[in-house]
C-alpha cells in the first residue's frame, strides 16, 4: 500500500449513487489522478489516502484509493486553496487571498464564529459574509454526516437526501427512529429503513418498527390497487414481514388511528384498515360525485331533432343507445358511457361535442395518458390534453417544497361547461380526486371507458365502482357497427369478453396466432416480427410495434425480453453513446418508459437549431420515449417523449426509467399501437385471465399477432378470475346519496314535521 497526501484540485467524474469518483489531487510531487468510492469529497478538500498505482490502458497511471481520510485545512496556504477552489460559491482565488491576508491563521475561526467580520474586506457585504459562513458550516456538516451515514450502508445519493432533509438532526433520527426516513424521504421504504435500524441497534419489536411495518404493508396494498385491507389480512402480512407475533401488532393500530396515520372502520361484519390518505380521498371522491350528480327535466323531442341535424351534417347516424347517451348527457350532471371496441364511443363523443358546441357551451377533453389524449384529438378534431396537463400540474407548493400539486383545484376550478374524459378505466383514486376537486357544481362531467378492461395501475377501481354504486347514470353501448365488424381484432375482442371460442386459422388480415412452444423460439419469432415483418405490414417503424407480455419475471417476462430485444432492435454501433447503471445498459436509440409520476421534472419542445418553443413540467408513469443523447461528460440523458417533449435526466434520475421494447399488458392501458405482438406461455392462474387478454388485444389498431401456446390462449379466455380489489367507493356513493336524499326530504317536510 502506498500513501498520497494533497488537495483535490478538481473532480473529473462522480457517480452520485455509489460515490465512485475520478479526481485530480494536487500532491507534493505533482498532480495525481485518483479513483475510488468516496462517501463525500469536494474540490479544495485536503485528503490523505492509501492505495495502489495502476496503469489504465486508456487514461494512463491512476492511484486507486483503498482507504482515505479528509482533514480540515491547517495552514494559511491550505485555507486559501480551499476557499478559492470553487467549493464556496461566490469566492474565487483573488477574494480567497484577500480573506486570508486579512485574518491569516484565524480565518476559519472568524468565518465560523464571527462571520460578520468578513464584511471588513472590500467586496464582501454583510449578506455575502453570512452566505460564505453558511456554506462553510454546511460543507463541514455534510462531510461529517456522509462519513457517519456510510457506516449504515447508505448510498451517497441517499445520504445527500437525508442530510438535505434533516441537517444536523439526522444523528438523532438515525439513532432514535430510523423508520422516520420512510415517512419523510422519497426513495426510502420500509426495507431500507429496517436495514439502517438493524445496524443502528434498534430493537426488533420496537414500536417504531411495528408502526412503520404496518404503514409499509398498506403502501404495498395500494400498489396492488387496494384502498384498504381487512384487519386480519393486514395483521397477517405485517407479522410475516416483521417476524413478530400478531398480538404485538394489533395493539399499535389504535395508536396509529389516534395519530391519524390510519383509519379503522367496522363495516359489514369486517374491520377495515385504511391509510389515512386512501380513506379520505375515497370519501372526498364520493362526496364530489354526489354533488355533481344533478339532473333536470329536458324535452327529449327537441334533443332528438338536434341530433338529427348533426347526423345529417356529418352523414353519421347513431343507434338508439347512442342517442340515449346524448339525451342523458344533456339531462344529467354526471354520465358514464361504457362499451367495447367498435361500439361507437367515439361517434357518441363527436355528437356530444357538436351538440354542446351548438349550445354555445365551453367543452374540455382529456385522457389519462399522452397517447390516449393524442388519439382522442385525432378522433374528434378537438384538442384533448392529459388530465395532468388539464389540471395544470405543478411540482412545487407555495412554500417551494416539492409536492404533487395542481394549479386547478377547489380555489381555481376549470373554466368549462362540459368536461369529457376518455379511458376512464385507467383513472385511479388519487387522480380522480384531483380531477373532481377542479370541477365546479353545475359543470357536466361525461366519463367514457371500457369497464371490461383491467382496472387502473394505481389504487382504486373507479369506473367499476361508480357503475356498481347504481347511483350514477350509465349508457351501455353494445352494438358492434358494420365497419368495426370487418376487423377481426374487434370481433375477436368481443368473443374473448364473452368467453367464446376463436378460430385460429390465420386467414384473418389483422389477427394472427403463431403456434410455438419453446420460449427462446417464441422470442426469435417476436424479433423477426417487430424488426422485419410488422413495420412493412402496418406501415410503421419498429419503434411503433409494441411487445406486450402478461408478466415481469420469467422466460417471457418484461425484464428478460427487454434485454434481448435491445440487443437485436438497437445494437451497439459507432457513435452510439452508452451508460450502465446497476446492471442496466442505456444506449442512444433505446425505447424507454417513465415508471413513476414526476411532477417537477421539466420538459421542452425544441424548434429549429434546438431553441425551445414550449416548456412545461411533469412526466408520468407509463409515458414512453426514445433516448436521443447520452452526454457522458455532463452525466445527462435526453429522452424524447410524445409530442416532441424533450427531457434531460441526470444519471441519478435514471431510476425512473426502464426499457420499453416490451411492457406488461397492465402498463399498456390507455395506449394504442399500430400493431402489438403478444408472446404467450403458461403462467400463474391469477394473472393469466380473460380481461388481461382482452386488454392486450384491444391495444392494437391494425394488427394483433400472438406467438405461443394455443392451450394457454384458450385457458385465459375461460379464466374469469379477477383479483379482488378492496375498495369501498360504491358503498360511499350509496351512503352519501341516501344522506342527501334524507336531507332533501327533511327540508321539503319543513321544520314543523321534522
Amino acid at each position: 500500500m502506498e500513501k498520497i497526501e494533497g488537495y483535490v484540485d478538481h473532480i473529473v467524474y462522480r457517480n452520485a449513487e455509489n460515490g465512485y469518483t475520478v479526481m485530480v489531487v494536487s500532491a507534493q510531487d505533482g498532480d495525481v489522478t485518483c479513483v475510488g468510492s468516496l462517501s463525500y469529497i469536494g474540490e479544495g478538500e485536503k485528503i490523505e489516502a492509501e492505495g495502489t498505482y495502476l496503469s489504465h490502458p486508456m487514461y494512463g497511471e491512476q492511484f486507486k484509493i483503498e482507504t482515505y481520510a479528509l482533514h480540515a485545512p491547517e495552514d494559511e496556504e491550505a485555507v486559501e486553496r480551499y476557499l478559492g477552489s470553487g467549493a464556496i460559491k461566490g469566492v474565487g482565488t483573488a477574494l480567497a487571498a484577500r480573506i486570508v491576508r486579512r485574518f491569516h491563521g484565524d480565518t476559519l475561526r472568524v468565518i465560523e464564529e464571527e462571520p460578520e467580520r468578513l464584511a471588513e474586506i472590500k467586496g464582501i457585504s454583510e449578506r455575502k459574509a453570512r452566505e460564505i459562513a453558511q456554506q462553510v458550516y454546511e460543507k463541514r456538516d455534510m462531510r461529517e454526516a456522509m462519513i457517519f451515514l456510510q457506516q449504515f450502508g447508505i448510498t451517497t445519493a441517499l445520504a445527500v437526501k437525508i442530510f438535505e432533509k434533516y441537517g444536523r438532526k439526522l444523528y438523532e433520527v438515525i439513532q432514535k427512529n430510523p423508520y422516520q426516513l420512510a415517512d419523510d424521504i422519497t426513495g426510502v421504504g420500509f426495507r431500507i429503513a429496517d436495514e439502517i435500524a438493524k445496524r443502528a441497534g434498534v430493537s426488533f419489536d420496537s414500536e417504531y418498527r411495528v408502526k412503520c411495518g404496518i404503514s409499509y404493508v398498506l403502501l404495498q396494498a395500494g400498489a396492488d390497487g387496494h384502498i384498504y385491507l381487512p384487519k386480519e389480512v393486514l395483521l397477517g402480512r405485517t407479522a410475516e414481514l416483521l417476524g413478530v407475533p400478531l398480538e404485538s401488532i394489533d395493539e399499535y393500530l389504535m395508536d396509529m388511528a389516534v395519530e391519524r396515520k390510519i383509519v379503522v372502520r367496522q363495516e359489514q361484519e369486517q374491520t377495515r384498515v385504511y391509510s389515512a390518505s386512501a380513506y379520505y380521498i375515497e370519501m372526498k371522491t364520493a362526496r364530489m360525485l354526489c354533488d355533481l350528480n344533478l339532473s333536470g327535466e329536458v324535452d327529449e323531442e327537441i334533443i332528438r331533432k338536434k341530433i338529427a341535424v348533426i347526423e345529417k351534417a356529418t352523414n353519421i347516424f347513431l343507434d338508439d343507445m347512442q342517442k340515449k347517451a346524448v339525451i342523458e348527457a344533456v339531462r344529467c350532471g354526471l354520465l358514464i358511457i361504457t362499451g367495447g371496441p367498435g361500439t361507437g364511443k367515439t361517434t357518441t363523443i363527436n355528437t356530444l361535442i357538436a351538440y354542446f358546441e351548438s349550445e354555445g357551451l365551453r367543452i374540455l377533453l382529456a385522457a389519462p395518458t399522452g397517447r390516449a389524449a393524442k388519439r382522442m384529438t385525432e378522433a374528434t378534431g378537438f384538442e384533448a390534453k392529459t388530465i395532468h396537463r388539464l389540471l395544470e400540474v405543478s411540482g412545487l407548493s407555495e412554500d417551494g417544497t416539492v409536492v404533487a400539486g395542481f394549479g386547478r383545484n377547489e380555489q381555481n376550478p376549470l373554466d368549462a361547461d362540459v368536461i369529457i374524459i376518455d379511458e376512464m378505466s385507467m383513472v385511479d383514486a388519487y387522480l380522480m380526486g384531483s380531477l373532481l376537486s377542479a370541477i365546479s357544481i353545475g359543470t357536466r362531467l361525461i366519463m367514457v371507458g371500457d369497464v371490461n378492461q383491467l382496472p387502473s395501475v394505481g389504487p382504486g377501481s373507479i369506473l367499476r365502482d361508480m357503475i356498481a354504486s347504481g347511483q350514477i347514470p350509465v349508457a351501455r353501448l353494445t352494438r358492434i357497427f358494420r365497419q368495426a365488424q370487418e376487423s377481426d381484432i374487434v370481433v375477436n375482442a368481443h368473443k374473448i369478453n364473452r368467453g367464446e371460442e376463436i378460430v385460429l386459422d390465420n386467414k384473418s388480415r389483422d389477427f394472427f396466432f403463431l403456434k410455438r412452444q419453446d420460449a427462446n423460439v417464441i422470442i426469435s419469432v417476436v424479433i423477426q416480427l417487430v424488426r422485419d415483418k410488422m413495420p412493412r405490414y402496418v406501415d410503421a417503424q419498429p419503434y411503433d410495434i409494441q411487445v406486450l407480455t402478461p408478466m415481469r419475471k420469467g422466460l417471457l417476462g418484461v425484464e428478460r425480453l427487454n434485454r434481448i430485444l435491445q440487443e437485436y432492435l438497437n445494437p451497439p454501433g459507432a457513435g452510439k453513446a452508452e451508460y450502465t447503471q446497476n446492471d442496466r445498459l442505456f444506449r442512444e436509440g433505446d425505447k424507454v418508459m417513465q415508471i413513476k409520476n414526476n411532477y417537477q421534472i421539466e420538459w421542452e419542445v425544441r424548434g429549429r437549431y434546438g431553441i425551445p418553443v414550449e416548456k412545461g413540467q411533469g412526466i408520468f408513469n407509463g409515458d414512453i420515449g426514445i433516448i436521443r443523447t447520452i452526454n457522458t461528460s455532463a452525466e445527462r440523458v435526453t429522452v424524447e417523449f410524445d409530442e416532441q417533449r424533450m427531457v434531460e435526466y441526470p444519471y441519478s434520475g435514471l431510476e425512473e426509467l426502464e426499457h420499453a421494447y416490451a411492457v406488461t399488458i397492465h402498463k399498456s392501458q390507455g395506449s394504442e399501437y399500430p400493431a402489438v405482438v403478444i408472446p404467450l406461455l403458461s403462467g400463474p392462474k391469477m394473472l393469466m385471465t380473460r380481461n388481461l387478454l382482452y386488454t392486450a388485444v384491444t391495444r392494437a389498431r391494425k394488427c394483433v399477432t400472438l406467438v405461443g401456446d394455443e392451450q394457454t390462449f384458450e385457458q385465459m379466455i375461460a379464466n374469469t378470475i379477477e383479483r379482488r380489489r378492496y375498495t369501498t367507493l360504491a358503498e360511499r356513493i350509496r351512503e352519501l346519496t341516501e344522506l342527501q336524499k334524507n336531507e332533501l326530504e327533511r327540508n321539503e317536510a319543513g321544520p314543523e314535521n321534522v
Side-chain angles (χ1 to χ4, degrees):
M1 296 278 281
E2 298 185 68
K3 289 185 178 180
I4 66 164
E5 185 176 333
Y7 299 91
V8 179
D9 184 76
H10 65 278
I11 294 173
V12 178
Y13 168 81
R14 182 164 173 81
N15 185 313
E17 189 65 30
N18 56 27
Y20 179 77
T21 305
V22 180
M23 62 186 178
V24 175
V25 172
S26 180
Q28 190 171 8
D29 297 329
D31 289 350
V32 181
T33 300
C34 299
V35 298
S37 293
L38 292 79
S39 61
Y40 171 82
I41 195 73
E43 292 179 347
E45 299 278 359
K46 182 180 181 182
I47 185 171
E48 184 179 320
E50 291 187 351
T52 53
Y53 282 98
L54 302 173
S55 181
H56 192 281
M58 184 177 296
Y59 301 113
E61 189 176 65
Q62 297 179 337
F63 186 80
K64 184 180 180 183
I65 297 173
E66 301 293 340
T67 62
Y68 72 99
L70 298 177
H71 300 289
E74 295 167 352
D75 55 31
E76 292 182 24
E77 181 184 353
V79 172
E80 182 178 332
R81 181 191 293 265
Y82 174 68
L83 293 176
S85 67
I88 308 300
K89 291 180 182 177
V91 179
T93 54
L95 185 55
R98 292 207 303 274
I99 294 172
V100 174
R101 277 201 305 271
R102 176 72 178 81
F103 299 112
H104 302 288
D106 208 24
T107 298
L108 287 183
R109 187 200 66 78
V110 168
I111 290 174
E112 292 181 4
E113 297 178 11
E114 303 175 86
E116 68 279 359
R117 290 187 59 193
L118 290 174
E120 298 171 11
I121 298 168
K122 185 178 179 181
I124 300 180
S125 64
E126 289 187 9
R127 178 180 176 182
K128 188 168 185 176
R130 289 193 297 272
E131 289 175 352
I132 292 170
Q134 184 64 30
Q135 287 185 69
V136 171
Y137 294 150
E138 288 177 355
K139 294 282 182 184
R140 181 197 64 198
D141 291 347
M142 179 175 276
R143 179 171 57 244
E144 293 172 357
M146 291 297 197
I147 294 168
F148 170 76
L149 292 171
Q150 190 178 32
Q151 65 185 300
F152 300 102
I154 296 170
T155 66
T156 305
L158 181 55
V160 171
K161 286 184 181 180
I162 293 171
F163 179 78
E164 288 176 347
K165 174 66 180 177
Y166 300 117
R168 293 197 60 81
K169 289 183 180 178
L170 70 87
Y171 303 100
E172 180 184 349
V173 171
I174 295 293
Q175 291 166 350
K176 183 180 178 183
N177 177 20
Y179 296 99
Q180 188 176 336
L181 299 174
D183 289 334
D184 295 343
I185 297 178
T186 303
V188 178
F190 170 79
R191 295 191 183 280
I192 292 176
D194 201 34
E195 184 60 34
I196 295 170
K198 287 177 185 175
R199 297 190 184 203
V202 175
S203 169
F204 186 68
D205 57 355
S206 133
E207 173 186 347
Y208 300 124
R209 182 169 188 260
V210 174
K211 288 181 177 180
C212 188
I214 292 168
S215 295
Y216 176 75
V217 170
L218 287 174
L219 181 68
Q220 291 300 106
D224 289 336
H226 304 299
I227 294 294
Y228 74 93
L229 284 178
K231 180 180 174 181
E232 63 275 11
V233 174
L234 172 66
L235 294 180
R237 292 183 184 180
T238 308
E240 184 179 355
L241 172 73
L242 301 178
V244 298
L246 288 173
E247 55 271 18
S248 64
I249 301 170
D250 194 5
E251 62 181 284
Y252 291 116
L253 289 181
M254 193 53 64
D255 288 347
M256 293 181 72
V258 171
E259 294 165 2
R260 297 190 176 185
K261 291 183 176 179
I262 65 171
V263 174
V264 182
R265 286 194 57 162
Q266 184 70 34
E267 298 173 307
Q268 297 186 356
E269 300 180 355
Q270 182 186 67
T271 302
R272 297 167 174 171
V273 184
Y274 305 73
S275 69
S277 62
Y279 177 79
Y280 289 112
I281 198 65
E282 195 176 66
M283 285 290 291
K284 183 179 178 182
T285 296
R287 177 185 58 76
M288 292 186 293
L289 284 169
C290 290
D291 289 344
L292 291 172
N293 194 15
L294 307 172
S295 61
E297 294 297 323
V298 295
D299 189 325
E300 288 193 20
E301 192 56 37
I302 291 176
I303 298 173
R304 290 183 185 277
K305 286 179 180 178
K306 289 186 178 181
I307 293 172
V309 172
I310 295 168
E311 289 177 320
K312 186 175 180 180
T314 60
N315 201 31
I316 296 174
F317 298 91
L318 278 60
D319 71 359
D320 289 342
M321 283 307 303
Q322 290 173 305
K323 290 176 182 177
K324 182 181 177 185
V326 175
I327 293 168
E328 288 298 295
V330 177
R331 185 202 316 273
C332 304
L334 279 183
L335 177 67
I336 297 169
I337 301 174
T338 183
T343 57
K345 296 192 297 293
T346 299
T347 300
T348 307
I349 291 173
N350 282 331
T351 305
L352 287 168
I353 292 171
Y355 184 96
F356 288 124
E357 272 197 312
S358 72
E359 296 286 299
L361 301 183
R362 176 169 165 73
I363 307 161
L364 295 177
L365 270 58
T369 66
R371 283 175 177 262
K374 183 179 179 181
R375 192 169 71 249
M376 196 179 188
T377 299
E378 292 168 350
T380 64
F382 201 95
E383 183 191 13
K385 298 180 179 180
T386 64
I387 297 174
H388 289 90
R389 291 187 72 181
L390 181 75
L391 298 178
E392 299 174 10
V393 65
S394 167
L396 298 175
S397 65
E398 290 182 0
D399 63 2
T401 56
V402 176
V403 294
F406 295 100
R408 294 291 183 171
N409 47 42
E410 293 97 331
Q411 288 75 42
N412 184 29
L414 292 163
D415 180 16
D417 302 300
V418 181
I419 298 172
I420 303 175
I421 307 293
D422 199 7
E423 294 288 356
M424 271 300 301
S425 62
M426 290 187 65
V427 177
D428 66 30
Y430 292 99
L431 186 56
M432 187 65 174
S434 297
L435 173 64
L436 293 173
S437 294
I439 299 177
S440 302
I441 295 175
T443 300
R444 289 182 176 86
L445 175 60
I446 300 164
M447 298 168 284
V448 184
D450 186 347
V451 75
N452 292 307
Q453 286 186 23
L454 293 169
S456 59
V457 174
S461 188
I462 298 296
L463 182 60
R464 292 186 185 190
D465 283 357
M466 287 192 299
I467 294 172
S469 73
Q471 304 302 314
I472 297 171
V474 179
R476 300 178 188 271
L477 306 182
T478 55
R479 176 189 167 193
I480 306 175
F481 285 85
R482 181 173 58 81
Q483 186 177 358
Q485 288 175 354
E486 297 173 4
S487 165
D488 286 324
I489 296 174
V490 172
V491 172
N492 287 340
H494 283 275
K495 285 184 176 180
I496 289 168
N497 195 39
R498 295 193 296 264
E500 297 174 4
E501 182 182 357
I502 294 176
V503 178
L504 303 176
D505 57 8
N506 289 335
K507 293 181 180 179
S508 169
R509 290 179 301 173
D510 60 6
F511 194 98
F512 304 98
F513 197 108
L514 306 181
K515 299 173 185 178
R516 305 289 189 274
Q517 297 296 324
D518 180 86
N520 291 329
V521 173
I522 290 171
I523 293 173
S524 178
V525 173
V526 168
I527 291 168
Q528 291 177 25
L529 288 168
V530 176
R531 184 183 61 190
D532 306 323
K533 296 183 178 181
M534 278 297 154
R536 292 196 303 270
Y537 190 72
V538 299
D539 189 25
Q541 297 297 316
Y543 162 83
D544 297 313
I545 314 302
Q546 188 61 58
V547 178
L548 302 179
T549 182
M551 60 196 79
R552 290 197 59 83
K553 306 287 187 180
L555 294 175
L556 294 179
V558 162
E559 294 175 5
R560 182 169 187 250
L561 281 171
N562 272 319
R563 286 194 298 270
I564 297 171
L565 290 172
Q566 180 193 39
E567 182 181 344
Y568 286 92
L569 300 179
N570 186 33
K576 278 188 187 177
E578 299 179 350
Y579 173 67
T580 301
Q581 182 188 76
N582 299 332
D583 299 326
R584 296 188 306 159
L585 172 66
F586 291 98
R587 180 179 295 135
E588 288 178 348
D590 273 345
K591 184 178 180 179
V592 292
M593 175 187 282
Q594 176 81 10
I595 59 171
K596 63 184 289 188
N597 288 338
N598 186 328
Y599 296 88
Q600 68 267 17
I601 197 167
E602 295 181 349
W603 54 261
E604 61 185 29
V605 177
R606 298 172 183 170
R608 293 183 66 185
Y609 312 113
I611 298 172
V613 295
E614 183 184 357
K615 292 186 177 183
Q617 277 186 306
I619 297 293
F620 305 105
N621 190 358
D623 285 355
I624 289 180
I626 297 287
I627 294 179
R628 294 304 184 194
T629 61
I630 297 177
N631 188 327
T632 51
S633 59
E635 298 185 16
R636 302 188 81 78
V637 174
T638 303
V639 180
E640 181 178 354
F641 289 96
D642 290 334
E643 301 173 321
Q644 299 179 301
R645 292 174 298 155
M646 308 295 285
V647 176
E648 288 194 356
Y649 290 83
Y651 281 176
S652 59
L654 293 180
E655 63 190 21
E656 296 186 5
L657 294 176
E658 65 179 26
H659 291 91
Y661 297 101
V663 302
T664 61
I665 294 167
H666 222 138
K667 281 282 191 180
S668 73
Q669 282 180 274
S671 296
E672 186 179 76
Y673 312 94
V676 300
V677 179
I678 308 168
L680 211 58
L681 281 178
S682 60
K685 189 174 182 180
M686 286 297 295
L687 183 64
M688 310 294 279
T689 61
R690 178 187 294 176
N691 68 338
L692 188 86
L693 182 61
Y694 173 81
T695 300
V697 168
T698 54
R699 297 308 89 207
R701 186 165 62 250
K702 295 182 179 179
C703 186
V704 170
T705 305
L706 297 106
V707 187
D709 180 27
E710 180 182 11
Q711 188 175 0
T712 299
F713 179 73
E714 292 170 350
Q715 288 171 347
M716 289 181 75
I717 293 174
N719 183 9
T720 58
I721 294 174
E722 289 189 38
R723 186 178 296 174
R724 180 187 173 188
R725 289 195 168 192
Y726 294 114
T727 67
T728 45
L729 180 61
E731 293 175 37
R732 300 287 172 255
I733 293 171
R734 286 193 290 266
E735 288 171 1
L736 290 172
T737 301
E738 186 64 27
L739 282 172
Q740 286 183 347
K741 182 181 175 183
N742 292 340
E743 185 176 349
L744 182 63
E745 289 175 352
R746 284 198 300 271
N747 290 339
E748 289 176 348
E752 68 278 2
N753 296 316
V754 174

